Amino acid sequence: MESIWRLSKMYEVPMESILEANRLRPGEPIQIGQKLIIPNTRGFRNVIPLYPNAEWKYVVVHHTATDIGNATLIHNSHHDRGFWYGLGYHFLIDNGTLGKGDGQIEASPRWIKQQQGAHCKANGMNAAGIGVALVGNFSLEQPTVAQLQSLVYLVQTLCKYYHIPPSHVLRHRDVQGSKTECPGSLFHWHSFLNDLARK
Ligand SMILES: [Zn+2]
């Protein structure tokens, strides 16, 4: 029971839900090595892996310019377009399509390996910038509320850990030398910056 309690705290899931998902009676002992299912009402849990790395000085925000997507699909399309090592971004924020949650944050293999990005050649941003992309085409529609909330959470977490000032959080289009509308004219950047400044 002690460990169910601890799991409950760790995953912010009620103890009853864990018991129920695993068909355990309250007080029933769990065996060492027993695999437990941790249910999650949201269907996913946003965990942001962080690695010490002094190179990250900027966050660059993109849209994928596609209606639907998840990391695997976009990895493959980047691969086809000749980006090296597949998915060019470090993080992807899903919009609830292709089996991913609305607002789900996916860390790419590139991030796990702490490799440079392939998201913005202008002004050396592939080397200094953490590339974050929201799934969607914000020239045609707005990001979802859940995507924006996750973006605030992700960017706040990254800025805090890597000591990145708010002035170094940029849209792709704001990067000097870039010629793009990315992340789209319907992305309300200033209201995002306001949310970001709020703790
Ligand atoms: Zn972009």
Side-chain angles (χ1 to χ4, degrees), residues 127-195:
I130 302 171
V132 175
L134 283 74
V135 175
N137 185 338
F138 310 133
S139 302
L140 303 172
E141 60 186 346
Q142 290 182 21
T144 70
V145 172
Q147 282 183 299
L148 287 171
Q149 284 172 348
S150 293
L151 181 64
V152 168
Y153 171 59
L154 174 62
V155 175
Q156 279 181 345
T157 303
L158 295 172
C159 286
K160 192 169 171 211
Y161 187 81
Y162 295 105
H163 307 290
I164 297 170
S167 60
H168 283 199
V169 178
L170 306 174
R171 288 177 292 193
H172 186 183
R173 63 192 288 177
D174 297 328
V175 176
Q176 211 184 348
S178 71
K179 290 184 195 74
T180 174
E181 202 197 321
C182 178
S185 53
L186 296 181
F187 189 111
H188 296 149
W189 185 247
H190 292 285
S191 88
F192 162 70
L193 288 183
N194 283 338
D195 290 344

Side-chain angles (χ1 to χ4, degrees), residues 60-63 89 119 172-173 180 182-183:
V60 183
V61 177
H62 303 262
H63 66 165
Y89 311 115
H119 56 91
H172 186 183
R173 63 192 288 177
T180 174
C182 178

Side-chain angles (χ1 to χ4, degrees), residues 20-35:
E20 202 177 78
N22 295 281
R23 298 167 190 273
L24 290 166
R25 285 187 302 277
E28 191 177 329
I30 28 177
Q31 312 300 321
I32 290 171
Q34 182 175 354
K35 288 202 171 62

Side-chain angles (χ1 to χ4, degrees), residues 45-78:
R45 183 177 159 75
N46 282 329
V47 178
I48 301 168
L50 296 165
Y51 311 89
N53 189 336
E55 302 300 313
W56 303 129
K57 305 234 180 337
Y58 292 84
V59 175
V60 183
V61 177
H62 303 262
H63 66 165
T64 59
T66 57
D67 309 341
I68 58 169
N70 62 30
T72 307
L73 179 84
I74 293 171
H75 173 94
N76 291 336
S77 87
H78 277 187

Side-chain angles (χ1 to χ4, degrees), residues 103-119:
Q104 183 170 353
I105 300 172
E106 294 187 85
S108 76
R110 188 181 290 278
W111 178 252
I112 310 293
K113 295 179 204 148
Q114 289 294 289
Q115 291 168 338
Q116 289 192 2
H119 56 91

Side-chain angles (χ1 to χ4, degrees), residues 117-128:
H119 56 91
C120 179
K121 222 184 248 176
N123 211 23
M125 278 303 160
N126 279 334

